[in-house]
């Protein structure tokens, strides 16, 4: 069975979607049709008997937009206040949409401290396991309202890989505003070639990722996605970066189709999640 065919058998799946995919670029307003489509696909995966976790960004941008704050850099307290407002709104929308498909969801907000603290980490694992047992879809975000530099993950690409590792997911899908990994930035270099499978995330590749840019809405560029790929694959999880333009790409990936860039699991015995936090 080839690497793509194997994706058909994935049972525990973490899906990450970023702020830039959930909001309209021109206005910063919520993209309700994108959220509706995403919820429908995830509810369907759940009905297929899979365990599903959604890592969703958007708290800061939804809060900011809701309060009508002008463009420009936010101060830390402003950002944290926006996250507090936006996270509640985001969950309200998810609750409403998932309930249309008879799905129960829950909210899990994490900081680095959740992972480094000997008590919090097993608590988080136990909570996830019980939620799976109850058939609930956990919706995870960083606890931006209280996370400052010392305890923040900083981006949800890394956070989603840590969650995938924590719950022993067998697949992580990062939905992004790009089709996957290219040999160069396709926005600048028309000769850039698409890479379908990456078996070895070496230092050369990491350096390539560092040169990529990120949007002004989310925080993750290609560099954070490659760090996520290292965490996920080293802990035994396959990872795919795919374009969030059409969220049906999730179903296509799970049908074994050649969509996005696949990083096959490459479990390393010596892998320590703490080395990446
Ligand atoms: N946690 C942030 C939010 O919900 C986003 C982080 C990211 O974009 O990766 O706004």
């Amino acid at each position: 069975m080839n690497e793509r065919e194997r994706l058909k058998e994935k049972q525990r799946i973490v899906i990450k979607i970023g702020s830039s995919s959930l909001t309209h670029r021109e206005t910063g307003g919520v993209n309700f049709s994108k959220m509706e489509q995403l919820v429908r696909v995830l509810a369907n995966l759940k009905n297929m008997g899979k365990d599903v976790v959604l890592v969703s960004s958007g708290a800061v941008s939804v809060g900011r937009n809701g309060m009508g704050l002008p463009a420009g850099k936010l101060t830390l307290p402003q950002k944290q206040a926006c996250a507090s407002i936006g996270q509640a709104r985001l969950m309200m929308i998810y609750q409403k949409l998932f309930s249309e498909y008879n799905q129960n969801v829950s909210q899990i907000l994490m900081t680095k401290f959740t992972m480094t603290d000997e008590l919090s980490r097993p608590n988080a694992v136990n909570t996830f396991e019980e939620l799976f047992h109850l058939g609930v879809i956990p919706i995870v975000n960083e606890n931006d309202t209280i996370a400052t530099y010392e305890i923040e993950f900083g981006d949800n690409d890394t956070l989603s890989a840590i969650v995938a590792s924590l719950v022993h997911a067998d697949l992580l899908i990062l939905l992004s505003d790009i089709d996957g990994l290219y040999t160069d930035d396709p926005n600048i270099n028309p000769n850039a070639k698409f890479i379908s499978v990456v078996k070895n995330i070496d230092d050369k590749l990491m350096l390539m990722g560092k040169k990529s840019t990120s949007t002004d809405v989310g925080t993750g560029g290609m560099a954070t996605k490659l760090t996520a790929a290292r965490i996920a694959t080293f802990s035994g999880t396959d990872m795919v970066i795919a374009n969030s333009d059409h969220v049906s790409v999730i179903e296509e990936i799970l049908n074994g189709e050649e969509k996005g860039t696949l990083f096959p699991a490459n479990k390393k015995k010596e892998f320590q999640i703490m080395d990446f936090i």
Side-chain angles (χ1 to χ4, degrees), residues 16 18-19 56-61 83 87 90 141-142 144 154-157 217-220:
K16 181 258 170 180
S19 308
S56 175
S57 308
V60 177
S61 55
Q87 181 64 29
L90 207 55
N141 197 358
E142 178 150 23
D144 298 303
D155 68 89
N156 277 4
D157 294 328
V217 193
T219 50

Side-chain angles (χ1 to χ4, degrees), residues 233-236 266-273 275:
T233 57
F234 292 174
S235 54
N266 180 16
K267 197 168 168 59
K268 292 206 187 305
K269 258 213 202 98
E270 69 281 8
F271 171 73
Q272 291 281 349
I273 205 164
D275 294 344

